Amino acid sequence: MVWMSSSRFERESIDLSGFWYFKTDPEGRGEVEKWFEKEQLKDWDRLYVPCPWNEQDSAYAWYMGKAWYSRDFYVPKDWNEKAVSIFFEGVNYRAKVWVNKIFIGEHEGGFTPFCFRIEDKMKFGYDNRVFVMVDNTLTKKTIPPGEGMNRTYFDFFHYGGIYREVYLLSTSKLYVKDVTLRTDIDGGRGIVNASVNVVNETTETRSCQLILRVIDSNELVNENTEPLVLEPSSDRTVEKRIIVKNAKLWCPEDPHLYKFAVIITDGGSNIDVFETRFGIRTVRIENGRILLNGRPIFLKGFGRHEDFPILGKTLNGAILRKDFGLMKDLGCNSFRTSHYPYSKTHMDLADEYGFLVILEMPTVGLWQGVERLDDPEIVEKVKRMICEAIQRDKNRPSVIIYSLFNEPDSCREEFRILLKEAIEEARRNDPTRPVTFASCMHLEDKALDMVDVLCFNFYYGWYTLCGDLEAASRTLSRVLDELHEKYPDKPIIVTEFGADAIAGVHRDPPEMWSEEYQAELIKTYWNVILSKKYVVGGHVWNFADFRVGQSPGRTTLNRKGIFTRTRDPKLSAKIVRELFRKASTYL
Ligand code: BDP
């Protein structure tokens, strides 16, 4: 797998966005009937990619099952001798792919990228066709699990389809496969520990030079050159410690980004160029605090979702720009990618805007309906998804913590086995970031001792103690104190608290479902959160209303947003703005 990071800017790529042929396959006949060999697709529908199928046409609104996508594509002639891959940034949930009638691979998991090599299957010119069979069927062993569109074990809409970008990427067969950057600070100096993996897939021994550059707004800050000899079909990992003098640190108030470039050259021309952005910053947990660049921080922000009318999970640049502008204006400095890794563009903006991100894995809903949490099939999938998410986002300064689960059944003894495997997988991929999971078991939780940071979701005043904010406040305060007493060394973040409010519903005195009640609940929680020295962050649930399955407890949307689904403010937006702006990022 050629990990893409930001590399495709320097390599040649062809975007495959556009209208693709589309056909649902509810009886699963496509594979048997070899639809991937079809020449005539005139009777197929056309849907836009990237975007889930659900809201593009009401015929597909609640569709769960297999569906086929196809399009033709062009390969330039000068891509001969190149390594060519087809990249999928996100397909929910399973994908099987054929190019020119040949099966090239499959992938399970809706929120992490994958790619397949196609240079021995493609033709030069226009005469290429790709088929993708997508299957969004939920089972008790999918991650996340469920039994139907309205029987998900998680509380967000189960969109289906190719909903993130698809593109072709070409590189030389001698190429940079992976770059890992870990930064440290030593006085005024930044230290960049770079690990660069180079692969030679040619049949010759190749002598070349590897140039590593740190660039600050087009100014060369540091350059290292290393001679490299690679045997045929071999790879090499080069480790370098690079010093950046007078380093500008990445932090929320000044999210300074550097560029890291890796160039393979034979002295004359560049054979491959790989570029990625990074920030110089450290994250540590010490004495019950989260330290960013050595300073204790306080996270103020949201749990969010990728969700918007018609576009579903495909938040385009304009919507993301709107959301990030709103979050900045509110005085927010943080969010959790609840409950799955967000798109690459989404994370690029987090790096640029300086948000402190808890990167959550798509491991939500591991709950009552799942028979055994240590089922080897589940453990294997969880580990693979953690690996794929970390590999994609490991160089991002915005990502400060990994959340390995949301609200698992952490009262079960066997959850410890799953969590142990998940933590080991996260640490194997990246030992530098703290790990957590969002617990709703609180004092009954059996696994909190295993994580670095404690995250809790609380709904007193909503699902329990309905309508009673005084009792909610007392209970929250008591439970937090008891949790702190039990785990005095671990920082605590309240990762969810909130109430549904239907925009336009007003009540005086405040009542559940009104804008006033939501605002009061948020204020009440915030006061408790600020009163506890050991609580190092609070995330309101949720930034905006979002689509969910049909159930008696939901009025078509989950309405816990402080903005509506189309980003109009509710009363709480004003309140949150006052509260967040008053709270400092540094403790
Ligand atoms: C929490 C879940 C979140 C839900 C929220 C709610 O973590 O996904 O949307 O409850 O009920 O338990 O609004």
Side-chain angles (χ1 to χ4, degrees):
M1 155 99 55
V2 187
W3 287 106
M4 46 288 196
S5 295
S6 301
S7 60
R8 67 182 175 118
F9 301 121
E10 285 294 324
R11 296 166 173 187
E12 277 190 284
S13 81
I14 294 178
D15 183 12
L16 297 183
S17 301
F19 287 96
W20 289 48
Y21 288 97
F22 178 79
K23 190 177 172 67
T24 55
D25 180 15
E27 283 130 44
R29 295 188 345 237
E31 268 190 279
V32 183
E33 293 175 7
K34 300 196 171 158
W35 291 4
F36 49 84
E37 292 184 354
K38 270 188 181 294
E39 303 284 341
Q40 265 306 342
L41 299 174
K42 280 210 184 98
D43 58 331
W44 286 32
D45 201 352
R46 304 252 278 169
L47 287 189
Y48 191 76
V49 169
C51 186
W53 59 59
N54 309 78
E55 296 193 27
Q56 294 194 51
D57 191 303
S58 58
Y60 312 123
W62 296 96
Y63 184 70
M64 188 174 96
K66 292 183 171 135
W68 290 71
Y69 287 85
S70 181
R71 69 162 283 161
D72 294 346
F73 62 89
Y74 169 76
V75 176
K77 285 208 179 55
D78 59 359
W79 281 14
N80 61 347
E81 314 227 335
K82 296 270 186 185
V84 181
S85 305
I86 184 164
F87 268 91
F88 294 85
E89 291 284 348
V91 178
N92 204 18
Y93 166 79
R94 262 192 198 88
K96 279 191 166 187
V97 185
W98 291 260
V99 164
N100 296 334
K101 306 185 181 173
I102 305 163
F103 176 68
I104 56 166
E106 59 191 308
H107 181 261
E108 177 173 353
F111 302 96
T112 43
F114 56 96
C115 68
F116 306 112
R117 291 285 285 272
I118 61 164
E119 67 262 26
D120 54 346
K121 277 112 199 157
M122 69 197 192
K123 300 167 207 166
F124 299 106
Y126 287 94
D127 195 17
N128 292 283
R129 184 166 283 186
V130 56
F131 280 90
V132 184
M133 186 187 78
V134 182
D135 187 356
N136 73 332
T137 306
L138 289 171
T139 72
K140 292 181 177 205
K141 292 192 184 179
T142 53
I143 306 289
E147 294 170 57
M149 290 298 283
N150 297 322
R151 295 181 67 197
T152 56
Y153 296 179
F154 49 91
D155 182 36
F156 53 91
F157 191 82
H158 181 53
Y159 294 100
I162 307 178
Y163 74 100
R164 288 183 185 159
E165 291 96 330
V166 186
Y167 51 93
L168 305 178
L169 180 80
S170 90
T171 68
S172 142
K173 287 194 175 168
L174 174 63
Y175 63 95
V176 180
K177 186 173 181 192
D178 191 26
V179 171
T180 307
L181 302 172
R182 294 182 180 142
T183 61
D184 211 340
I185 305 163
D186 175 19
R189 304 188 314 166
I191 296 162
V192 185
N193 293 303
S195 167
V196 176
N197 182 254
V198 179
V199 182
N200 177 16
E201 287 185 5
T202 69
T203 49
E204 294 154 29
T205 301
R206 301 287 294 262
S207 303
C208 55
Q209 295 199 316
L210 189 68
I211 305 174
L212 309 184
R213 284 191 186 140
V214 173
I215 298 157
D216 184 8
S217 357
N218 295 330
E219 298 261 321
L220 186 62
V221 171
N222 197 304
E223 181 171 287
N224 269 270
T225 306
E226 179 107 346
L228 212 57
V229 179
L230 279 151
E231 301 291 316
S233 310
S234 71
D235 76 311
R236 177 87 65 76
T237 301
V238 174
E239 316 262 348
K240 272 266 169 245
R241 188 168 182 269
I242 299 166
I243 306 290
V244 178
K245 284 187 210 143
N246 303 318
K248 294 173 201 140
L249 304 185
W250 185 97
C251 55
E253 62 283 8
D254 182 13
H256 190 79
L257 293 173
Y258 289 89
K259 194 150 80 176
F260 189 79
V262 183
I263 300 154
I264 305 175
T265 166
D266 58 9
S269 55
N270 290 344
I271 298 166
D272 190 28
V273 180
F274 179 105
E275 287 192 350
T276 189
R277 301 184 310 177
F278 73 101
I280 298 175
R281 58 112 184 92
T282 58
V283 177
R284 285 199 185 94
I285 307 288
E286 246 174 61
N287 303 323
R289 296 273 187 243
I290 303 171
L291 306 183
L292 179 78
N293 304 331
R295 296 175 75 187
I297 47 166
F298 182 76
L299 310 183
K300 34 179 186 163
F302 298 94
R304 299 175 53 226
H305 267 297
E306 288 185 327
D307 185 76
F308 202 79
I310 303 177
L311 300 176
K313 288 220 164 311
T314 314
L315 298 191
N316 65 26
I319 296 162
L320 287 170
R321 171 62 187 78
K322 171 85 180 172
D323 284 359
F324 277 74
L326 288 174
M327 286 195 290
K328 269 283 159 198
D329 178 62
L330 292 168
C332 158
N333 65 12
S334 172
F335 64 85
R336 177 171 57 128
T337 68
S338 43
H339 298 303
Y340 39 82
Y342 291 172
S343 75
K344 228 167 64 156
T345 314
H346 205 141
M347 299 303 286
D348 282 345
L349 287 186
D351 287 339
E352 274 171 39
Y353 276 75
F355 284 102
L356 303 161
V357 177
I358 301 177
L359 174 64
E360 191 157 88
M361 308 300 162
T363 38
V364 52
L366 294 165
W367 190 248
Q368 275 148 1
V370 179
E371 261 160 49
R372 284 206 62 92
L373 300 175
D374 59 350
D375 179 322
E377 192 181 328
I378 289 179
V379 174
E380 184 276 322
K381 286 182 197 177
V382 166
K383 283 169 64 177
R384 194 171 38 74
M385 289 177 195
I386 289 173
C387 169
E388 289 174 354
I390 294 181
Q391 285 306 326
R392 194 194 68 168
D393 288 335
K394 64 187 173 185
N395 293 332
R396 296 187 179 281
S398 57
V399 174
I400 58 161
I401 298 170
Y402 297 127
S403 168
L404 303 180
F405 298 91
N406 180 67
E407 299 192 347
D409 190 348
S410 43
C411 281
R412 288 199 222 166
E413 225 14 89
E414 99 241 15
F415 174 66
R416 292 182 67 89
I417 298 171
L418 175 61
L419 180 62
K420 180 171 174 284
E421 296 269 358
I423 292 175
E424 279 172 12
E425 185 63 30
R427 298 233 159 99
R428 189 164 36 243
N429 283 281
D430 177 6
T432 68
R433 288 175 174 94
V435 295
T436 188
F437 67 90
S439 166
C440 60
M441 294 299 183
H442 312 150
L443 289 157
E444 270 78 60
D445 200 299
K446 289 210 172 94
L448 295 174
D449 59 300
M450 296 171 71
V451 292
D452 305 312
V453 180
L454 303 183
C455 288
F456 297 109
N457 299 347
F458 291 110
Y459 285 96
Y460 309 123
W462 188 254
Y463 294 119
T464 60
L465 305 172
C466 303
D468 188 345
L469 292 180
E470 270 179 40
S473 167
R474 274 197 309 275
T475 311
L476 175 68
S477 174
R478 175 180 54 76
V479 172
L480 278 171
D481 284 344
E482 287 178 31
L483 285 163
H484 174 57
E485 217 169 284
K486 230 170 143 182
Y487 306 98
D489 302 330
K490 297 193 195 260
I492 292 180
I493 303 169
V494 178
T495 31
E496 283 186 32
F497 63 100
D500 288 77
I502 298 178
V505 171
H506 294 283
R507 285 291 183 277
D508 181 17
E511 262 175 44
M512 290 175 77
W513 295 96
S514 69
E515 292 194 30
E516 287 77 9
Y517 188 82
Q518 184 190 49
E520 278 303 309
L521 182 141
I522 292 172
K523 220 191 291 177
T524 304
Y525 268 70
W526 198 248
N527 286 336
V528 176
I529 287 169
L530 291 187
S531 73
K532 312 285 179 193
K533 292 268 171 299
Y534 53 83
V535 177
V536 300
H539 282 174
V540 173
W541 186 260
N542 188 284
F543 175 71
D545 292 350
F546 57 93
R547 196 162 175 213
V548 290
Q550 301 173 58
S551 77
R554 297 276 182 265
T555 57
T556 70
L557 303 174
N558 180 315
R559 308 228 177 217
K560 294 193 186 69
I562 68 160
F563 293 94
T564 63
R565 196 178 183 213
T566 48
R567 284 36 175 184
D568 291 320
K570 299 182 194 172
L571 179 62
S572 314
K574 193 162 161 268
I575 303 298
V576 166
R577 192 167 181 263
E578 283 163 20
L579 301 174
F580 279 5
R581 284 186 163 210
K582 254 190 252 158
S584 161
T585 292
Y586 297 99
L587 288 167

